[in-house]
Each structure stands twice: as structure tokens, then as C-alpha cells.
Amino acid sequence: MCIRDRRNEQHISSEVPRPESGIQLGYLVGANGSPAFAFTQQGSEASLWVWVGDKWVLSPIDPTKANIVEPGDEPGELVVIMPAKEGKPSAAHFMNAVTGQVGEIILQDTAYDFNGSFYRDSASRVLVGSFYERNGPTTSWFDETYQKLQKVFNGYFPGKVVRLLDADIRGSVFLVAVFSDKEPIGYYTLNLEKRTVAKLQNGRPWIDPERMQGMNVLTYTTADGKKLEAYVTMPAGLSLIHISEP
């Protein structure tokens, strides 16, 4: 063993063995940052394993069929998307990965299937909000503190979509993504203590927002009576009224 390898071993705080059977596919860490779930494959069958205490326990959940988003807040808990039923859109639920039992709803929109992601508080590591798409980018905060923070963020970038990406442990410096229907995504840091904003990167700096046309949401009915929405951007000088005229 070389000196470099010995030095690396000194930084290992703990070791977790592989699941007892199957080819190793990957792992998920829990809210506390430790390995919590493992995926393996044996032949054509994939398996999900849960780290319980000091060993891996085989989960009854089929990872090829379950729509797993990420670990939940509690040990052995997952966030999964359950299919739409009884005329209601699909929803994000907690699920006990050891028993396979579906838990409480985290988020369910009134009209749109859930298709988004979640945000964890940097200090507590608890899920506090979600970003998803309905008839436009939507942010839903479960925590009142973050609801107030979002209003502060929006005040720095009026008329644009502001999504929180990360924050320091103290909750004073934030990394946000900012975009609109005319402006490509850009990344900024906000220091609320110093009241400063710093731009880090523009996703497409060659695009001039002043030359871009706004986006419209067009609602239409299909032949079988379903209402659908489409994003439509018209050339300069035209509008949806013009294209709807005979």
C-alpha cells in the first residue's frame, strides 16, 4: 500500500458492506448523509435494500416499478410518486421502504401530475419545499420561513422565476437560479446579511433577452374532449389572435 492510500484510509469514518447478493448497481444516502439504500441486480431482477441498524434488509419494493424520487426524512423512508387515481393527479408520498407501505401525501396538485424535485433545509436536512411544472414553473414551500424567503428572492428579481438551489448552514448566503420566458437561466449568490447579489454564470450569454419574444400558454381541447396546454412563442409582430382567425 502506498503512502497516499494510507492517508486516504485515515479519512474513512465508517464502512458499510455490500448487500449479500446481486451485482452492485448503486446507492442512495439518507437525509443524514449516510448510506441508506442500495440497488442490486440478480439475473434480470433488480432489488432494493434498506440499511437497518447494522445490516442490509431486502425491501419488498420493486425498484423497476416504483417511481422513487429520493430518500425521505426518516430512516428507511423514501419519497415516491404514486400513479393518478380516482380522477386525481399523481402525488408525491412518503413510503416505508422496509414494509412497502405508502405513507402520507407530501404534495399533490389540484390538476397536474407531480413531475418535480424537492429541496432540503441545509441545517435540518428536512424536506421543506418542491419545484415542479404545471402551466409554468411552480414553487411550493411547506415551511413558512421559506415562503417568506421566496418573497425576498422575488424582490431581487421581479418578473422572473427564482429557484433556490443551496444555502449555507446559517441561512444567510443562498445560491439561486433565475430565468424567465425571455431570459436563459443564470446563477447568482444572495447574501441577505450584506444585502448583496453576485452573478456567477449565465447559461447562454450569447442570447439577448431584449430581442426575445414572450411565451404564451395555449389551452386547447382534443378530439376526445381532454384539455391540454401548449407553450407557444410567436414571431415578432404576431399574436395568438392572428393565428386563430379564419
Side-chain angles (χ1 to χ4, degrees):
M1 180 183 294
C2 67
I3 295 177
R4 183 179 63 182
D5 289 339
R6 288 198 297 269
R7 288 177 178 174
N8 288 340
E9 284 190 347
Q10 293 175 2
H11 293 85
I12 297 175
S13 59
S14 62
E15 293 185 359
V16 175
R18 296 182 179 184
E20 61 187 44
S21 64
I23 300 172
Q24 175 185 347
L25 296 179
Y27 296 86
L28 282 179
V29 297
N32 62 357
S34 299
F37 304 95
F39 299 91
T40 63
Q41 184 168 344
Q42 188 77 40
S44 60
E45 295 185 1
S47 298
L48 171 67
W49 300 78
V50 188
W51 184 253
V52 180
D54 59 353
K55 63 180 180 179
W56 290 108
V57 174
L58 183 62
S59 171
I61 300 172
D62 184 346
T64 64
K65 296 180 180 179
N67 191 347
I68 299 173
V69 180
E70 61 177 273
D73 292 335
E74 302 296 330
E77 187 177 64
L78 287 169
V79 176
V80 299
I81 307 301
M82 300 302 295
K85 62 179 181 179
E86 299 176 357
K88 296 182 179 180
S90 64
H93 287 253
F94 286 121
M95 175 179 280
N96 187 317
V98 177
T99 65
Q101 183 175 359
V102 179
E104 64 177 296
I105 293 177
I106 308 171
L107 191 149
Q108 184 175 42
D109 192 83
T110 56
Y112 295 79
D113 289 333
F114 182 81
N115 60 355
S117 60
F118 291 89
Y119 182 83
R120 292 184 185 276
D121 179 76
S122 298
S124 68
R125 303 306 300 162
V126 171
L127 299 174
V128 292
S130 175
F131 311 115
Y132 66 103
E133 300 292 329
R134 48 186 342 265
N135 57 349
T138 302
T139 299
S140 177
W141 293 112
F142 319 139
D143 183 278
E144 185 178 356
T145 299
Y146 281 87
Q147 293 172 7
K148 294 178 180 179
L149 273 175
Q150 186 66 53
K151 292 181 180 180
V152 174
F153 298 155
N154 294 345
Y156 279 96
F157 305 95
K160 299 178 183 179
V161 177
V162 185
R163 284 190 169 173
L164 176 58
L165 300 180
D166 204 356
D168 66 348
I169 299 297
R170 295 193 305 122
S172 59
V173 181
F174 301 88
L175 173 65
V176 298
V178 181
F179 59 95
S180 72
D181 57 345
K182 295 183 179 181
E183 183 173 337
I185 192 168
Y187 300 95
Y188 298 79
T189 56
L190 275 69
N191 189 320
L192 296 188
E193 287 186 349
K194 297 181 179 180
R195 298 177 181 269
T196 58
V197 178
K199 188 172 185 178
L200 299 178
Q201 184 178 3
N202 189 337
R204 296 179 177 87
W206 58 87
I207 293 180
D208 180 4
E210 297 299 323
R211 299 179 60 191
M212 299 297 104
Q213 300 301 307
M215 186 181 295
N216 300 279
V217 180
L218 176 65
T219 303
Y220 62 96
T221 303
T222 63
D224 57 358
K226 294 181 179 180
K227 288 188 176 181
L228 299 179
E229 294 172 339
Y231 295 113
V232 180
T233 301
M234 300 300 297
L238 294 180
S239 68
L240 291 177
I241 296 177
H242 292 127
I243 66 171
S244 63
E245 292 177 349

